[in-house]
Amino acid sequence: MTAQDVNRAGESSRTSLIYDPRVRSIFFQVLLILLLVFGIWWIVDNTIENLRRSNISTGFGFLRGRAGFDISVSLIPYSSDSTYGRAILVGLVNTLVVAVTGIITATILGFLVGVARLSRNWLLRQIATVYVEVFRNIPPLLVIFFWYLGVLSILPAPRDSIELPMGSYLNSRGFYFPRFIWEQGAWLVFAGFVVGLALTWFVARRARARQMATGQQFPVLWTGLGLIFGFPLLGFALAGFPLTLEFPVAGTFNLTGGVNVSPEFLSLYLALSFYTAAFIAEIVRAGILGVSGGQSEAAAALGLRPGKVLRLVIIPQALRIIIPPLTSQYLNLTKNSSLAVAIGYPDLYAIGGTILNQTGQAIEIVVIFMVIYLSISLLTSLFMNWFNARIALKER
Amino acid sequence: MQEHDMSWVRTEMALAEAPPRTEAGAGAWIRKNLFATPVDAILTIFSALVVAWFLPQILNWSLFNAVWTGADRTACLTVDQGGSLPSGWSGACWAFVNAKFGQFMFGRYPIDERWRVILTAVIFVALLAPLLIPRVPYKRLNAILFFAVFPFIAYFLLVGGFFGLPYIETSLWGGLLVTLVISYVGIVVSLPLGIILALGRRSKMPIIKLICVIFIETVRGVPLVTVLFMASFMLPLFVPPGMTFDKFLRALVGVALFASAYMAEVVRGGLQAIPKGQYEGADSLGLGYWQKMGLIVMPQALKLVIPGIVNTFIGMFKDTTLVLIISMFDLLGIVKQHLSDANWATPQTAKSGLVFAAIVFWLFCFGMSRYSIYMERRLDTGHRR
């Protein structure tokens, strides 16, 4: 026995170098690093050679050069004399505008549809199901084209614009609505808004403290609405109504004045909102279904009304299930906004492409894309993680 | 007297009484499902109005008022626009789809050689159908044929250049052909690559783990458009001068890498859901790493994440449309390209072509999602408590 054992031990120590998992793991990792370093060296070497051949200078110096192209939609001052860096900034702002407006609309629509899918009302449920199944199963790019080519571009020409209420117009050049021009003293309105908001926060705190102490409730919602809308109105009146509206006026070939929302933006915004809302609806539905039935029964047994059961018991628990997948939908929407390039909305990607065609700085442009998109993703997920941690189950 | 004092015993069951009239029949169903509360009634009326407004319009546009045949744009124009249809007409111009159908399916693939595409499609279906139906035997052989042999057959048939088949450039490919080829390659490459990346991310070797994490997070953080853009603009810079890649191949590489990063995250979810006891059990049986993963962990993990895998496939199928941006023509791209055909320029052309493309995409995606639900139920062998 002993002899055998010794023998075995000797055997294993002889072969251990190949069969030792630690040695193997180090070997494979070193191998991988060598391969990677070699691969990167090969790529860098080739790239330098290729760039030298085509006379492209490297570095981000080109960002200070004159852009020389116009951008149709820009929220910050820009002209063709501005720099490339400025053009990229315009693109980033445009991307963010689409992403933020799209996220807000998609969330509202998605919650409505998701709740409608769980409604006891048969007809409403069917409509919501059809909506979700249709939009989940077609590509977002197709939805964008449908709005752009199928709906908005066959609207009448500016001469025969469709008139909408409140002095707005709809035609093949987009949507026109009156521009708000604030005059002197407008800061009072804003100040009133801030004061109303602060007072509401204060009232809500006091009301909660009182309810905790005495059990008496206070109508926070109505008071808050009154404060938030009342103070700005008061400020508006005090400053002597410092607002004029600049209405769009129909000319021979175009509408002048007012604010114009381009059809490119409208198509992208509508398509991304409708498309993402279908996914958010499914997430909301799964979240609400994920709260166990005992919770709502227990709440009902305590004597809460259905509305309060939903608000105080179901939704806070459902949110915990909803938030993580909702985050990834928000990220998807932001990334899908790069489809703007297909219809010519000047987002970050489209402008980057134009600059690439003019300067040939492929590597720099792609680096800029990656850095910006990655930081948007990272910031969004950081915010949503913070929000998630706030509403997460507090285990004591 | 006593003879007559027998208690009466029922020998057959009494017939069930009819339910109360308020609880049975169509009336009760309507009351319960449509008019339970005043709010419900308002919602019902509102929804009914929405349906009554949209449904006739949709049906009229797509079926009753639609133009099915025609040689050119005049078939789909109203009198004011220079055609023969009554003024104010609005309907689908299916004649456009009809005339372009071959293009939409095959792109610019030479007409004389289209039989090769059709033959490939027939083989594809013949191999796929028995793979999807659980009762058909020889699954292993079938899978090998489908995933390992079929790609070569398809390559020979579609690209040609062998056995007297003329060579067809990939720049001539288009339409549904491109959509399906990209999706198939994406699926076949991304699943194994995704599994390897997921294993790498959970590996105990720090460097392998780091590399996998960096790859997965970078790819997931940027839009597919950027990945395709990289594949089409930067790949040529990375290789020695003179060496060129086919544009189609570059798109394939881009889509496959992108999908595998997403697949890796799905598989990782499954790996995390497997209890530690399974790993330890495998270890105590003396299985090596690959045996443990291949025989014990993966079969359970993959089964858990079938919905996620299919969702990734559906996402990828929809994402194939983005190759349009690097100017390749998949189904959506070719439809869009033909929308600008002057012979067919009518106000209804764009809508009709896009609705046709939407229906095709919808059928594929909806089919995939239904199949995944079916498979999920079949494989559900009691993980649920």
Side-chain angles (χ1 to χ4, degrees), chain A residues 295-310:
Chain A
Q295 293 288 325
S296 50
E297 285 165 14
L302 285 176
L304 293 178
R305 296 223 187 103
K308 285 211 158 172
V309 172
L310 201 65

Side-chain angles (χ1 to χ4, degrees), chain A residues 50 121-122 136 275 335 349, chain B residues 44 220 229 237 262 318:
Chain A
N50 282 322
N121 191 318
W122 180 84
R136 266 197 335 161
Y275 177 76
K335 284 184 274 173
Y349 182 82
Chain B
T44 302
R220 271 161 41 94
F229 187 84
L237 284 178
Y262 280 81
K318 290 191 288 187

Side-chain angles (χ1 to χ4, degrees), chain A residues 112-119 121-135 278 281, chain B residues 34 42-55:
Chain A
L112 289 179
V113 175
V115 172
R117 279 206 75 181
L118 292 171
S119 162
N121 191 318
W122 180 84
L123 195 57
L124 195 63
R125 209 163 59 216
Q126 299 308 314
I127 293 177
T129 309
V130 168
Y131 173 85
V132 169
E133 289 297 349
V134 166
F135 277 93
Chain B
L34 296 177
I42 294 169
L43 283 176
T44 302
I45 292 168
F46 179 70
S47 317
L49 283 178
V50 169
V51 172
W53 169 253
F54 277 111
L55 200 61

Side-chain angles (χ1 to χ4, degrees), chain B residues 255-278:
Chain B
V255 171
L257 288 182
F258 188 76
S260 53
Y262 280 81
M263 194 63 79
E265 284 302 275
V266 172
V267 174
R268 187 167 73 106
L271 288 176
Q272 281 177 346
I274 301 300
K276 214 176 164 200
Q278 297 289 327

Side-chain angles (χ1 to χ4, degrees), chain B residues 118-373:
Chain B
I118 297 171
L119 181 63
T120 315
V122 169
I123 299 175
F124 178 76
V125 173
L127 287 175
L128 183 64
L131 201 61
L132 294 183
I133 303 169
R135 256 177 305 155
V136 179
Y138 305 120
K139 279 280 179 288
R140 182 180 290 265
L141 177 70
N142 200 335
I144 292 173
L145 283 178
F146 185 72
F147 290 112
V149 180
F150 176 71
F152 294 102
I153 302 175
Y155 181 79
F156 284 135
L157 273 173
L158 293 177
V159 180
F162 310 90
F163 311 123
L165 290 175
Y167 173 71
I168 312 280
E169 278 181 67
T170 51
S171 58
L172 294 178
W173 298 17
L176 192 61
L177 168 65
V178 163
T179 301
L180 290 180
V181 169
I182 295 180
S183 315
Y184 173 81
V185 173
I187 288 171
V188 169
V189 174
S190 73
L191 190 57
L193 206 56
I195 290 176
I196 290 176
L197 281 170
L199 289 176
R201 191 167 182 170
R202 279 174 64 82
S203 157
K204 289 195 185 70
M205 302 181 215
I207 290 167
I208 290 186
K209 186 174 175 177
L210 184 73
I211 291 171
C212 289
V213 170
I214 290 177
F215 177 82
I216 292 171
E217 292 306 329
T218 314
V219 172
R220 271 161 41 94
V222 297
L224 175 58
V225 176
T226 312
V227 176
L228 287 175
F229 187 84
M230 258 186 90
S232 85
F233 284 96
M234 287 176 69
L235 217 56
L237 284 178
F238 288 164
V239 296
M243 187 171 159
T244 52
F245 282 119
D246 192 65
K247 197 158 92 178
F248 190 69
L249 186 67
R250 283 185 246 160
L252 283 181
V253 171
V255 171
L257 288 182
F258 188 76
S260 53
Y262 280 81
M263 194 63 79
E265 284 302 275
V266 172
V267 174
R268 187 167 73 106
L271 288 176
Q272 281 177 346
I274 301 300
K276 214 176 164 200
Q278 297 289 327
Y279 291 86
E280 289 165 353
D283 284 339
S284 70
L285 283 177
L287 298 180
Y289 179 79
W290 294 108
Q291 283 173 320
K292 176 171 71 178
M293 288 301 167
L295 296 173
I296 310 286
V297 178
M298 269 303 158
Q300 300 183 65
L302 289 182
K303 198 172 78 181
L304 280 181
V305 292
I306 283 182
I309 292 177
V310 176
N311 276 342
T312 313
F313 285 166
I314 294 176
M316 192 167 58
F317 188 78
K318 290 191 288 187
D319 280 346
T320 54
T321 50
L322 303 192
V323 296
L324 165 74
I325 285 165
I326 54 168
S327 57
M328 279 176 34
F329 300 102
D330 76 313
L331 177 61
L332 181 61
I334 206 116
V335 168
K336 186 177 176 252
Q337 193 193 23
H338 281 275
L339 293 184
S340 48
D341 183 350
N343 274 331
W344 282 100
T346 76
Q348 300 296 339
T349 308
K351 239 191 258 178
S352 311
L354 291 171
V355 167
F356 168 75
I359 292 172
V360 174
F361 277 108
W362 189 85
L363 285 177
F364 275 99
C365 296
F366 191 70
M368 277 195 261
S369 79
R370 286 297 113 156
Y371 184 76
S372 103
I373 292 174

